Structures are given as C-alpha cells and as structure tokens.
Amino acid sequence: MTAAGNPAFNAAARPLGGGRRLPLTWLGVVPFFIYVGIFLLLPTTIIVAGSLVGPDGSISLSNFDGINRPFMFKSFVNSIEISTISAVLGAIFGALLAYAVATGDPKGFLRRSVMSAAGVVAQFGGVTLTFAFVATIGTEGIVYLWLQQHGIEMYPNGVWFFDLPGLTLIYLYFQIPLMVLVFIPALDGIRPQWREATESLGGSGWHYWRYVAGPLLFPSFLGCTLLLFANAFSAYATAAALLTQGGVILPLQVQALLTSETGSSSPGLAKALALAMVAVVLVVMSLYALLQRRTSQWLR
Amino acid sequence: MGTITRAAATGVEVRLEHLRRVFAGVVALDELSLTLAPGELVALLGPSGCGKTTALRLVAGLDEVTSGKVLFGGTDVTTLGANRRDVGMVFQAYSLFPHMTARQNVAFGLQMRRVDEQERKRRADAMLELVGLSGFADRYAHQLSGGQQQRVALARALAIQPKVLLLDEPLSALDAKVRGRLRDEIRRVQLEVGITTLFVTHDQEEALAIADRVGVMNKGRLEQLGPPTTIYTRPATPFVAEFVGLTNRIEGDVKGGEVIVRGTRLPLVRPDTPDGQAVALVRPEAVSLGSDGDAGGDAGGGPLVGTVIAVAFLGATSRVTVDLGDVIVLAQMPTSQASAHPAGSRVRLTLRPDPVLIARDETAAAEA
Amino acid sequence: MTRSRRIRLQALRFVIFALAAAFFLVPIGAMFEFSTRGIGINSARTFSAWAAIPSTPELATAITVSLELALITSLLMLGLLLPTMVWVRLRLPRLNRIVEFICLMPLTVPAIALVVGIKPLYIWISLNFTDSILALSFAYLILVLPYAYRSLDAGLAAIDLKILTEAARSLGAGWGTVMLRVVVPNMPTAILNASLLSASLVLGEYTFANLLNYENLQVAIQYVSLVSAGTSIAVAVASLLFAFVLLMILSFAGGRLQVRSPGQRA
C-alpha cells in the first residue's frame, strides 16, 4: 500500500503534519537512526522473527521445542548454575573488597588505583584470561607445580580446572571487580552519622549491621548480584577458550549452531536460543534497575 | 501528654574535668573543664576547628579522651562506650535512618533497650507529639522537610530518656526562618523535659538566644564562660569581643591604664596594658551620634566627626555606618534616634566610657 | 571511632587487600613466568617466545588489524554518537530518552546472542561489498555504544551546552565550527574516556570476530597457542599490559579533572 494511492491516508496526514514537510531538524539524527537500525534493530528483529519461523517457513513456536532436548536443557541448567555461583561468590568477595576501599581515604592513591584496576579487569576475559589461569593452576602452572613440590596435590580426584568449577573460578576474576565498581556508590552513600546515631541510642556494632547498614545495603547488594548474574550468563569468550568440550553452557551451544552443519540445518534454533538468552538477561536487568531505584532514594 | 517526659525531668550534673584530645600531634582540645548544672543548657560557641565538636564527641563517647574525665551525676563514664552512656544526640543533618519511618526512628533506641513493641510505639508517638509531629509518624526521612527531620532526630534522642542531651550544630543545615523557629522549639522541649544539655554551634546569635550559659572556645581552649549578657557586654578577651557581636576597631593611645581614642578617654578592661599605640575594640552600642552643628563644628572635621554613609533598619534599633575619613565606625541606637541622621548628613560621635579591650595582635593593629 | 575498632578495621582492610592482590596479580605474574620458560624441565629463562612475536606473520598482521579496528571504531563512535547526542540535546530533547534507551540496549543483548542476528548481515556484506575485516568496526560500534554513551553523557552534563552553542552561534559560527571548536574542546576528558574505553574493548574482542570468521588479535592468539603456547601467551601479556596502560591513563586523567566525592561529609 502506498500513501499516494490512498486518499484516506493523505487526508489523515495533513492535519498531523500541518501541511509542512518533515522539519529539517530531524535530519540531524537520521544517520544515527539509520545506523542503529541496520546494525542493532535489524539483527534483533532477525532473531525474534527467525525464532518464530519453523523449518517449513510457517510461523510457529517449534524452534523453542529444541531447547527442551536433554543436552540443550542441560546446558541451560549449567549456564544458570555457573552464573548463579559466580555471581553470589563474586558479590560477596566484591562487596568485601568494596568495603575495604570505601573505608579508606576517598581521594587517596589506594582507592584510585583499585578503582582504575577494577575498571580494566572487569572487562577482562577470553583467551588471555584463560591463559593466565592455565599458567597459574593448570597442570603446568606455577602455583600447581609449587604446591606439588610441597606435597600438596591440587587435583587428587581429577583435574576440575578444565571443567565448570574451573570456569566459575576464572569468572570470579572479572565478577569481583565488576562488583566493586557497581557496589561502591551504595557504600559511599552510607553516612557516618548513622553508625554514631546507632551507638548513642545504645546499639552495638552488631545492631548497626543488623538493623541499619544491612537493610540499607541489601537491595543494592541483591541488585548488583543480579547484574553479575547477567554478566556471567552472557560471557562466551572465556568458556570458549577454556572448555575443550563443546556445548556445555548456552553460549557454546549458540556457537555450535552457528559454526556447524547441524546449525545450518535448523537456523531457527540458534535464534530461539539467542532470544531465550536475551529474555533471561532482560528480566534480570529489569529487576536490577528496580532495586537500584529503591536504593537511590536511601543512599544519595 | 507530657507525663512520661516530665517524669524524666531529673537532670543530672555533667562535669568535664581537664579534657584533652590530641590528634596525631595536633591539640584539638586543651584542658577543658566545665560543669553543667542539672537541667542547664550550655552552648559551646566558636569558629570551626576550635574544639567544640571534639568536646561534644568526647562527652558522647564517640571519641576517646587523651586525658581527663567525663562525669555524669558524679559517676565517671570516661571509659564507657557511646552505646552505654545514655546520651541523646542530635546531629547536624541526615542522621535519620532513611529506611525507617519517623516512628521507627524514634523507637529505635527503645528497641535497642528491649522495650516491648506496644510500649515502643506508645512512647515513640508521645515523643513525636512533644516535638509537634503527631501526623508524621509514618513518613520516611525523604518525605520530611529539613526542619521536620531535625525534630524527629530530637524526638529520637529524647525517647531513650537520656541523662544528657547533646546537640551538634542541629540548625546549621536549615534556612534562616526555620532555624529561628526550631531553635525556640528545641529550648521549649528542653525546658519541658528538664534535661541537662550541651549545644554546639558556630552561630553566636543562636548561642546567645538559647543558652543559660555560653562558653566561647578558640584553638582548643575555653576563652570565657558565662551568661549570654555577660559574654556580650563584658567580653573577657579580645577574641570573645570580636567573635561575639559586632565590634569597631579604632586606633588609639594607651597611657596609664587608659586608652585615648581621638580625644576621648576610655577605661581599659585590663589596666595593666603597656603604653603605646593600640587598637581599641568599641561596641556599636557604645557609640552615640549628635549633629555636627551642635558642637559648633569645624569644617575640617574633628577627631570624631564624619559622614553617615548608610542606615540599616533592624526593627526597634538601627545601625548607622559613619565614615570618619580614615576609618568606618558602626553605631547602634533606637530607630527613633537614628532617623535624625539620614545618609549623607554630618555627625559627631560620642563614645560611652565603658571599659574596652585592646585588639590582640600587632598585625591587626597595623592593618587598622 | 574508638581506637580498638579502628585497629580492627585496619587489620581487616589489610587482609582483604592482601588476598585481593594475590588473587589478581599472581595469574598475571604466572602468565609472564610461563612465557619466559625454556623448552626443557631445568632450562634457563628465555625471552625467545617474546622474540618470536614479530616473526609470526599471523600475529603481526592481527596486531595491526586490531589496532586499526580500535582506531576506526573510536573515530566512528565520535563521528556518529557525539553529534547526535549534541543535536538531540539542543534541538530534539524529546528524543533524549529514546537515544539513551537504544544506546544502553546492547547491555541487555549478550554479544553471543546479537551475533546470531548480525551474522546474516555480514554474509551479505562480504558477498556484496567487501570481505575486509575492517567492516567489523560497524558491529564493534554497537558493542561500545553503552560505555561511550555514558562517558559522553557525563561530559555533556558537566558543560552548559545550550549557552555555549547559543553564544557561538550568535557570534556567527556554523554547526561544524560549534562542534569542533566549542563542544569538543570543552569536554576533553569525556571524549578521551569514551575513545579509550572503545579502543580497549575492541582490542579484547573475541566473540564477534571468531563467529563472523574474521581473524583479529584475540582470535590469532588462540590459533597461535595451538602451535606455540609460549608465543601466544607472550602476546596475551603484551596486549593486556597495553590495555592496562590505556585505561590507567584514562582513569588518572579523568580522576584529576572530575574530583567529585559523593557528599557523605556535609
């Protein structure tokens, strides 16, 4: 349907546009919208649309049946598991480190160094990070060998390093710094008067953490943990470099579908998987945003 | 109402003995000795860094003394932690717990004392009524104005029926209008409860208006302690004279226990001041004005003849600014008198022979 | 704070920092140690793996290509995002929320998911236009959008854009002059920030390159590691240090220009 051939459309358009052409002001944003249209919105549409198109070309949800297959389901569970564990551990250790930073001089060298380093390391991942751990606690790694020389065998029941536990440990390397970066603002919002008020009202250190600092920080802590979950859930490069066996977690399943023959035979499945991942991350990030808003009212 | 609060109206004596606090080699508080009578309100007044807040925190137990003692009702509490001292504290600002309602905030200290929930609520509501916030019990801090937050903080501090009430610049974060109202409100509540109170401020007007006695502090030392009128009319040291109220600095000659300021002899607070050039500190109230013509004025201007450059109307009194050519002098008088000298008119100044102080240092004398 | 609590706190902080330093520094050190090992068990330290970097053509090419990608992506980002953000702020404020939403969208679409949708696009590009790896810059621009947007947003918030441009326009400056001589010079930190963040992200990127069948630095490191672990680890250390230096410059330059404490001491 073209606008010119439809008098009703023309009639409706006139009062809206006031009879004028598109204002020139809008030209300023055209390049940006064309660009994100092609490289962000179009791919997103391809994913959504592609996941809804069955092998025979009709619209169906059959692609999502593929996620129900046992090996696929297993990788989904693995992904959730490793993301949860690395998020919870990362959040705990990260919060401790953030606390140590926040209780120091706010303009001091230590704080600035730690924050800068955290900014770098939080983005770290992939082959390089995997190498670093292989060189440390791999079977030829310096720490592994050193412990072995001192009579301690790190892997008495088989090498867990090249499996999910190893991956979880490596994830902590970028999860902890990310936690420091996102949790510090909440800690900075805690005012020294609150501790002093608690003390003068008869409360102990335990009371302060139990009734004041704990409840104040908890929403932010929970929100940051969710962010860490999304971060681990989306991570691909590190797993690809470490895990020799394919398809153990969701991103590796997507990789397998993109690069192998089985993938080209069922193009809808990769898109359905991608959409499922986006959905999980979207839900988690929305909850994160919600909790952050709650916190920002308290800790300014 | 007020029964439970008045029941606690047995203020205790608070004694600070030779309190000293040194931070990394810097003396923040030097040998402060001060006794507050039961139910008395003493204001510690001074510029920032004078040690007044340090003194308050030592009384609260939020900081540890280097040496000296703190006694509540004769009992030595120097080594007790803040949470076992029974002090009520109101901070400068933002001290309410933001995740609790006003009622929960006020009840917090009672919760720490294991008072049961029914009783907690009853007493918290009574305290909120005392500070005039009955309708606001379920509001959170961010739903209250700055002045309301400080009222809740006051109610919270008093809810535990403390032995001593400590106020750390509780009004300095508020705007001028609210400040005046809340100041009077704090005094009313303090008198009603009858609690011994230490009030720290850098605002002299506030200190003079609220306190039974004012202690002026400077560089970790107590310069003068006395009722507001004494502090204002008979400052013991040049620092107090200059810090409290407005003061004219006029050059003169010290000779034999007097100072001669432009032909007028004024007695000295300290007659042992050595002879020589000096700067006399003269209150605006001690300066009165007459028309220049009255004294058969010489056109060149006598030693105390000048031109009015501004008249500030303050209500019952007015403050007149007079330019003597080499120095500007303020005079304060009833508005009816001041209106005889509009800006631009020539006037002759008369100095009332009250005892005056001499400014402290040579540099001050040089720049005057 | 009482003395005993202060001492306990300092002890706790010391322990935490010591453990963190061990966890984060030992692997980097170990990687360096690994790259200087000799062939035999008891052979001496050697830098032969490092020396082999320039003579491994794959690596040399990949390093150049990744640096080019980083540069192009940063320039594209500044050329596209900055004018759009300025324009929206000045003339189309109601689009502000939409632009922000779009720029932050990549945070909720994992790269591994986005690549599924972007792959058909790149097959089409390589068939019809170019099979040069530099085309990856367009996809990388999407990845850096959220980070670039945030730092440019902070920079624009700190200057009074409207008054600056109105003053410049009233003195006869065209829009190009306004951008280059008024906006850019007034927010050097934010621009440096956005550029260095983009560059470091591109240098570490693996997902897109690998799955779209291009060989950038990270992909090359992986390939080379199959043949010569020492050399690829040496490159990994080098690239890591490079990214680290970039971001250190950034955070210290930034920290000096915007000292803003969150007002906990009123």
Side-chain angles (χ1 to χ4, degrees), chain C residues 154-258:
Chain C
L156 285 171
I159 62 175
D160 201 328
L161 188 63
K162 209 166 172 84
I163 288 176
L164 280 179
T165 38
E166 275 169 8
R169 297 275 295 165
S170 74
L171 294 170
W175 283 109
T177 316
V178 168
M179 279 303 301
L180 288 176
R181 307 209 25 208
V182 178
V183 176
V184 171
N186 270 300
M187 41 186 293
T189 319
I191 289 176
L192 183 74
N193 223 318
S195 312
L196 291 182
L197 270 177
S198 307
S200 79
L201 219 81
V202 171
L203 289 178
E205 211 287 327
Y206 174 77
T207 310
F208 274 23
N210 185 39
L211 294 176
L212 298 176
N213 300 321
Y214 291 108
E215 194 169 321
N216 72 354
L217 179 60
Q218 299 297 324
V219 176
I221 290 177
Q222 170 119 52
Y223 285 159
V224 172
S225 73
L226 301 175
V227 188
S228 160
T231 304
S232 67
I233 288 185
V235 178
V237 177
S239 74
L240 181 67
L241 289 180
F242 185 69
F244 206 83
V245 168
L246 276 189
L247 284 158
M248 277 302 199
I249 293 173
L250 161 126
S251 72
F252 274 87
R256 215 184 46 239
L257 288 176
Q258 30 179 269

Side-chain angles (χ1 to χ4, degrees), chain A residues 154-218:
Chain A
M154 269 187 78
Y155 307 114
N157 306 314
V159 181
W160 49 260
F161 174 62
F162 291 99
D163 210 334
L164 289 180
L167 193 61
T168 311
L169 179 68
I170 299 182
Y171 276 13
L172 286 182
Y173 201 87
F174 54 75
Q175 295 279 60
I176 292 174
L178 181 62
M179 183 67 182
V180 172
L181 291 178
V182 293
F183 193 57
I184 275 257
L187 285 173
D188 283 342
I190 294 281
R191 294 174 190 277
Q193 291 99 304
W194 293 337
R195 180 187 277 275
E196 294 176 349
T198 309
E199 278 180 40
S200 74
L201 291 169
S204 62
W206 155 250
H207 287 132
Y208 169 68
W209 285 104
R210 166 71 181 79
Y211 296 106
V212 181
L216 276 172
L217 289 171
F218 186 69

Side-chain angles (χ1 to χ4, degrees), chain A residues 18 41 55 61 77 210 294:
Chain A
L41 304 179
L61 290 175
V77 171
R210 166 71 181 79
R294 174 89 188 260

Side-chain angles (χ1 to χ4, degrees), chain C residues 21-143:
Chain C
F23 182 70
F24 289 100
L25 295 181
V26 167
I28 307 278
M31 193 155 54
F32 183 75
E33 185 272 341
F34 201 90
S35 71
T36 59
R37 279 189 199 172
I39 310 290
I41 295 170
N42 288 321
S43 57
R45 295 267 147 216
T46 166
F47 278 91
S48 61
W50 286 76
I53 297 176
S55 58
T56 312
E58 264 182 306
L59 280 176
T61 320
I63 290 171
T64 325
V65 158
S66 271
L67 288 173
E68 282 172 14
L69 279 171
L71 184 69
I72 294 171
T73 307
S74 296
L75 291 178
L76 272 179
M77 180 273 295
L78 290 178
L80 186 71
L81 193 56
L82 187 55
T84 305
M85 286 175 73
V86 170
W87 190 256
V88 164
R89 251 144 243 259
L90 290 177
R91 308 300 294 272
L92 296 165
R94 64 197 135 146
L95 281 190
N96 216 346
R97 297 298 299 268
I98 299 176
V99 171
E100 179 178 15
F101 177 80
I102 289 176
C103 287
L104 298 183
M105 215 175 112
L107 286 182
T108 54
V109 183
I112 183 72
L114 188 61
V115 78
V116 173
I118 227 166
K119 183 145 189 171
L121 206 62
Y122 267 84
I123 292 174
W124 181 75
I125 287 177
S126 63
L127 287 178
N128 292 291
F129 292 97
T130 171
D131 56 0
S132 162
I133 183 175
L134 298 181
L136 259 185
S137 302
F138 291 108
Y140 282 173
L141 183 45
I142 294 291
L143 290 184

Side-chain angles (χ1 to χ4, degrees), chain A residues 25 32 35 38-39 46-47 100 103-104 107 110 112 116 120 123-124 128 131 136 140 142 173 195 234 236 254, chain C residues 5 13 24 27 30 37 80 84 87 113 116-117 138 141-142 201 207 210 218 225 240 244 247 251-252 259:
Chain A
T25 319
F32 175 78
Y35 168 75
I38 296 175
F39 286 93
I46 290 177
I47 294 172
T103 46
K107 289 187 181 115
L110 185 71
R112 280 170 59 178
S116 305
V120 181
Q123 295 289 346
F124 196 20
T128 315
F131 282 163
T136 311
E140 282 179 67
I142 183 166
Y173 201 87
R195 180 187 277 275
S234 314
Y236 156 74
V254 176
Chain C
R5 194 170 90 73
R13 293 183 69 213
F24 289 100
R37 279 189 199 172
L80 186 71
T84 305
W87 190 256
V116 173
F138 291 108
L141 183 45
I142 294 291
L201 219 81
T207 310
N210 185 39
Q218 299 297 324
S225 73
L240 181 67
F244 206 83
L247 284 158
S251 72
F252 274 87
V259 183

